[in-house]
Amino acid sequence: MAINFLKVELKTIVQICDTLDRIISHSLGPRGSKILLATETGQVIISSDGKTVLRKLQFGHPIARLIIDSMTRTVNFTGDSSKTFILYLSKFFHELLQQEFKSTSHNDCVCAIQKIKFEISSKLASFIKSKIPGSERVISSGTVREILRTSLSNSFQERIIEHFVTMVNEAVCTDGQDEQVIINNIKCMVDNFDQFCIKVPSLPYSESRTLSPFLIQRRFAVYCQNNSFQYVRFVTCLFPITGHQKNVETREIISLKNESSLIRFMDHHYFLLKKFVEMCKRENIQLILCSEQVSDQAIQLFELHRISVVPYVPEEDCDWLLSSLKISPCTSIFETLESNMIHSAKSCKPLIFNGRECVHLELDCQLPLPKMIIICAPTEGLCSQTLLNLQKSLKTISSFLNSNTPNSLKDDDGNIKFGTKISVIGGGGTFEFLVSEFLTEYSQRESSCSIKLLCKILSTAVLQLPRILFHNNSPTKQLDLKMFLVLLERISKARHAGKYLGIDRNGQVSNLFDNGVIELVEPKIHILLSMLELIQQVLRIDYFVGVKIINHNNEDFDE
């Protein structure tokens, strides 16, 4: 057995980060490019999502895998900004190498970063609020629209963006401007995204729409339209309705001696089915949702009693219905139907989406629920990409909503409102310009040379994002450094005048906060802190240890 020590050098880290940077930097911003990947099996993936692209690539170096894992954990919490994470990290290590950090050891560097992290986590949010009046807002339909519009601007044209923003806003803001309903609906949609968002490929984006819950992607085995009842009473069965006992996985073999035994056996199953169907009829059940098989004999009995049946309902849909409506399932054909097993729906009818038959169960419940979203796109891949973008947008909002801490805020008319407080800021690099100003002021108060140098490096690192954004949004796709410096000068002058500007989708400077292009502050701070924590982790690594087994013939085997 031989042990190999692989020294971790700063140059190697910079090369790895530069590689990741080059892969995703051109896809940043509303006019960024799409990335095309081809796997070994021939699968083609076209995406602008940094997490999707980097996770598909197989990196062999441990540092690269460490970076990807840290980025994934961060994005799973914040919902988005994988490219922001990589751009910050790459530029930081690049500047650290150029500064030739020789006067201080890596341990001193780690300690200095820890102090900067504490300063950012404790004071940056308050600093931003003091610089931008009105950055604190109570969650509302208008705020949700602005955040969604900004988040989706990286993926679609303006006409499509407005269609999706209107549609999603309609789905989560089901009760007007009620703040608590909006918060609950956003969290419900994020937690049950696969149940509330349905893909329908081979249709234009404009066909996307909302639908009152709940849609089951299965077809009726029996559909009986019954107009004599105002509501549809239904029950959820978590067992196969075949006349057999519940546990059919045993595949038991029954030995019947003669024909009369077979007849008695079949009659007994028929008796159980008939008894169950008659019990459903007595309870005025008009719909059976079954997660398992429903036999042909049972289907005939249900049809005879004009009871609709939907077999093979996905377990996820059954679990959601049971938990949301607070009802109990029927788990056996011998079980008596209790009142807590039965619920009412306004209607139940078949719907056809692009040739696929589904069941639309319009629920009747006191609990406000978000509407379902039907996502249409020309191809299956574009459907998946659209769903991913919507999920990231909603998760970004949901991750930083705390409905347990109401705050009093003043609106534009000076009236006091109570609600969940969120901090927003203009997009287009406005956050990065404010962080740069914050770090400059902090370094001036510090006497430590290490902290001063690292604040300068970190300030340069965060400004890499607006620099790349300007490059991707400019009509020529060329990074004119002279023009970019002119823009920075304009932004600096505006900042001294109390205005905080950003770079719009045309590569020009504008007040994106006033124009409704906003993003949440808390996710951006979380990404910055996660990136600094990863830097500390990487700088603490001196060697990688690899163990290789060697046989007596001096032939090397795989690690």
Side-chain angles (χ1 to χ4, degrees), residues 190-372:
V190 170
D191 294 339
N192 306 277
F193 194 78
D194 292 336
Q195 279 73 46
F196 277 91
C197 295
I198 309 297
K199 294 190 299 183
V200 181
S202 304
L203 289 176
Y205 287 116
S206 57
E207 293 294 322
S208 302
R209 61 189 179 93
T210 59
L211 188 71
S212 57
F214 187 72
L215 189 71
I216 302 172
Q217 297 186 69
R218 292 292 185 269
R219 59 183 302 175
F220 282 103
V222 177
Y223 176 59
C224 302
Q225 189 173 2
N226 200 332
N227 297 324
S228 59
F229 295 96
Q230 186 176 3
Y231 292 97
V232 177
R233 288 164 61 87
F234 68 92
V235 65
T236 304
C237 299
L238 301 183
F239 63 93
I241 307 178
T242 59
H244 299 281
Q245 295 189 10
K246 181 181 177 182
N247 187 12
V248 296
E249 283 82 6
T250 56
R251 304 293 181 187
E252 56 186 328
I253 298 175
I254 300 174
S255 177
L256 300 173
K257 296 182 179 179
N258 49 47
E259 184 178 346
S260 61
S261 298
L262 176 62
I263 294 174
R264 286 196 302 272
F265 177 77
M266 295 178 66
D267 287 344
H268 176 68
H269 283 194
Y270 182 78
F271 171 77
L272 294 177
L273 284 173
K274 186 176 180 181
K275 185 177 179 182
F276 179 76
V277 173
E278 288 176 349
M279 178 178 61
C280 293
K281 187 64 177 178
R282 286 196 305 271
E283 297 293 336
N284 293 324
I285 302 298
Q286 290 103 46
L287 175 65
I288 299 291
L289 301 177
C290 183
S291 63
E292 302 285 346
Q293 175 191 2
V294 181
S295 67
D296 293 340
Q297 196 173 39
I299 288 175
Q300 292 176 1
L301 288 171
F302 281 122
E303 189 172 13
L304 182 65
H305 290 80
R306 298 191 60 77
I307 299 176
S308 302
V309 180
V310 183
Y312 299 112
V313 177
E315 292 184 6
E316 298 81 3
D317 291 354
C318 291
D319 292 341
W320 184 87
L321 284 169
L322 295 172
S323 60
S324 299
L325 302 178
K326 295 179 174 57
I327 55 177
S328 300
C330 181
T331 58
S332 171
I333 199 169
F334 305 104
E335 195 170 1
T336 303
L337 293 179
E338 304 290 344
S339 58
N340 63 345
M341 299 179 183
I342 304 170
H343 198 78
S344 298
K346 293 181 181 179
S347 65
C348 181
K349 56 186 179 182
L351 282 181
I352 297 177
F353 290 105
N354 198 27
R356 183 178 61 187
E357 187 174 337
C358 302
V359 176
H360 182 210
L361 182 67
E362 189 174 359
L363 299 176
D364 175 42
C365 59
Q366 300 300 321
L367 179 66
L369 293 172
K371 292 184 178 180
M372 303 189 73

Side-chain angles (χ1 to χ4, degrees), residues 54-72:
L54 295 179
R55 292 289 293 178
K56 288 292 181 181
L57 298 174
Q58 301 296 326
F59 292 98
H61 199 282
I63 289 291
R65 293 201 296 268
L66 181 65
I67 292 172
I68 299 301
D69 290 342
S70 178
M71 179 270 294
T72 302

Side-chain angles (χ1 to χ4, degrees), residues 13-214:
I13 299 172
V14 171
Q15 289 174 354
I16 292 170
C17 292
D18 282 348
T19 301
L20 300 177
D21 188 316
R22 286 195 300 271
I23 292 172
I24 54 91
S25 61
H26 292 286
S27 63
L28 179 71
R31 294 195 174 183
S33 305
K34 299 282 186 182
I35 300 172
L36 186 145
L37 294 176
T39 64
E40 294 179 353
T41 58
Q43 181 186 9
V44 176
I45 300 170
I46 301 175
S47 177
S48 60
D49 178 60
K51 176 186 170 184
T52 301
V53 172
L54 295 179
R55 292 289 293 178
K56 288 292 181 181
L57 298 174
Q58 301 296 326
F59 292 98
H61 199 282
I63 289 291
R65 293 201 296 268
L66 181 65
I67 292 172
I68 299 301
D69 290 342
S70 178
M71 179 270 294
T72 302
R73 287 193 301 271
T74 303
V75 173
N76 287 342
F77 180 75
T78 61
D80 201 357
S81 298
S82 55
K83 293 187 280 284
T84 301
F85 184 94
I86 297 297
L87 289 173
Y88 286 173
L89 186 71
S90 174
K91 191 62 176 178
F92 184 93
F93 279 121
H94 199 274
E95 290 295 315
L96 193 64
L97 179 64
Q98 284 190 344
Q99 294 289 344
E100 295 183 354
F101 206 73
K102 296 178 179 178
S103 58
T104 308
S105 66
H106 280 186
N107 287 334
D108 292 337
C109 181
V110 169
C111 294
I113 291 176
Q114 185 64 32
K115 293 180 181 179
I116 295 174
K117 278 175 55 182
F118 177 78
E119 191 75 10
I120 290 174
S121 61
S122 60
K123 298 181 180 179
L124 180 56
S126 301
F127 176 82
I128 292 175
K129 294 171 189 175
S130 65
K131 294 293 182 179
I132 302 183
S135 62
E136 284 188 326
R137 296 186 181 181
V138 172
I139 188 71
S140 66
S141 172
T143 307
V144 172
R145 289 180 67 93
E146 292 175 347
I147 296 173
L148 286 171
R149 186 181 293 110
T150 305
S151 181
L152 295 175
S153 64
N154 296 343
S155 307
F156 304 103
Q157 299 175 354
E158 292 187 19
R159 178 178 57 84
I160 300 174
I161 291 172
E162 287 303 319
H163 180 71
F164 281 132
V165 167
T166 302
M167 183 179 63
V168 176
N169 195 64
E170 179 186 347
V172 298
C173 303
T174 55
D175 193 20
Q177 298 292 329
D178 189 280
E179 174 216 346
Q180 196 58 48
V181 171
I182 295 174
I183 292 173
N184 292 337
N185 284 347
I186 291 175
K187 292 185 175 181
C188 179
M189 184 169 284
V190 170
D191 294 339
N192 306 277
F193 194 78
D194 292 336
Q195 279 73 46
F196 277 91
C197 295
I198 309 297
K199 294 190 299 183
V200 181
S202 304
L203 289 176
Y205 287 116
S206 57
E207 293 294 322
S208 302
R209 61 189 179 93
T210 59
L211 188 71
S212 57
F214 187 72

Side-chain angles (χ1 to χ4, degrees), residues 32 96 113 137 187 324 379 386 403 423 448 452 486 494 512 555:
L96 193 64
I113 291 176
R137 296 186 181 181
K187 292 185 175 181
S324 299
T379 65
T386 304
S403 58
S423 297
S448 171
K452 286 181 178 292
V486 171
L512 299 178
E555 294 178 353

Side-chain angles (χ1 to χ4, degrees), residues 279-528:
M279 178 178 61
C280 293
K281 187 64 177 178
R282 286 196 305 271
E283 297 293 336
N284 293 324
I285 302 298
Q286 290 103 46
L287 175 65
I288 299 291
L289 301 177
C290 183
S291 63
E292 302 285 346
Q293 175 191 2
V294 181
S295 67
D296 293 340
Q297 196 173 39
I299 288 175
Q300 292 176 1
L301 288 171
F302 281 122
E303 189 172 13
L304 182 65
H305 290 80
R306 298 191 60 77
I307 299 176
S308 302
V309 180
V310 183
Y312 299 112
V313 177
E315 292 184 6
E316 298 81 3
D317 291 354
C318 291
D319 292 341
W320 184 87
L321 284 169
L322 295 172
S323 60
S324 299
L325 302 178
K326 295 179 174 57
I327 55 177
S328 300
C330 181
T331 58
S332 171
I333 199 169
F334 305 104
E335 195 170 1
T336 303
L337 293 179
E338 304 290 344
S339 58
N340 63 345
M341 299 179 183
I342 304 170
H343 198 78
S344 298
K346 293 181 181 179
S347 65
C348 181
K349 56 186 179 182
L351 282 181
I352 297 177
F353 290 105
N354 198 27
R356 183 178 61 187
E357 187 174 337
C358 302
V359 176
H360 182 210
L361 182 67
E362 189 174 359
L363 299 176
D364 175 42
C365 59
Q366 300 300 321
L367 179 66
L369 293 172
K371 292 184 178 180
M372 303 189 73
I373 300 176
I374 310 300
I375 299 296
C376 301
T379 65
E380 181 76 25
L382 290 175
C383 264
S384 301
Q385 184 71 23
T386 304
L387 278 179
L388 178 62
N389 290 326
L390 291 176
Q391 187 178 24
K392 291 192 301 182
S393 304
L394 291 170
K395 192 172 183 179
T396 300
I397 302 173
S398 173
S399 298
F400 295 90
L401 288 178
N402 184 4
S403 58
N404 297 322
T405 56
N407 296 270
S408 61
L409 299 172
K410 290 186 178 180
D411 58 17
D412 297 335
D413 299 327
N415 301 318
I416 296 179
K417 298 175 66 177
F418 288 88
T420 300
K421 178 177 64 176
I422 60 171
S423 297
V424 294
I425 194 174
T430 307
F431 174 80
E432 284 71 24
F433 294 129
L434 278 166
V435 171
S436 178
E437 182 181 351
F438 173 81
L439 292 171
T440 301
E441 293 185 6
Y442 171 56
S443 64
Q444 292 173 354
R445 298 194 303 267
E446 286 290 331
S447 58
S448 171
C449 295
S450 301
I451 292 179
K452 286 181 178 292
L453 180 57
L454 284 170
C455 282
K456 180 182 177 182
I457 292 174
L458 183 57
S459 177
T460 306
V462 296
L463 289 178
Q464 176 72 352
L465 186 137
R467 178 176 175 270
I468 298 298
L469 198 61
F470 170 74
H471 168 264
N472 292 346
N473 288 356
S474 61
T476 60
K477 296 285 185 181
Q478 297 292 328
L479 181 57
D480 189 339
L481 290 177
K482 187 180 294 185
M483 179 63 70
F484 183 66
L485 292 175
V486 171
L487 290 180
L488 289 181
E489 184 66 25
R490 287 181 56 190
I491 292 172
S492 178
K493 289 181 179 179
R495 187 165 65 244
H496 291 306
K499 295 182 179 180
Y500 288 84
L501 309 180
I503 299 172
D504 63 16
R505 62 184 299 119
N506 298 316
Q508 302 297 321
V509 172
S510 63
N511 192 332
L512 299 178
F513 184 79
D514 292 342
N515 294 338
V517 181
I518 61 175
E519 54 189 4
L520 291 172
V521 172
E522 285 84 356
K524 302 284 285 188
I525 295 177
H526 182 83
I527 290 166
L528 185 59

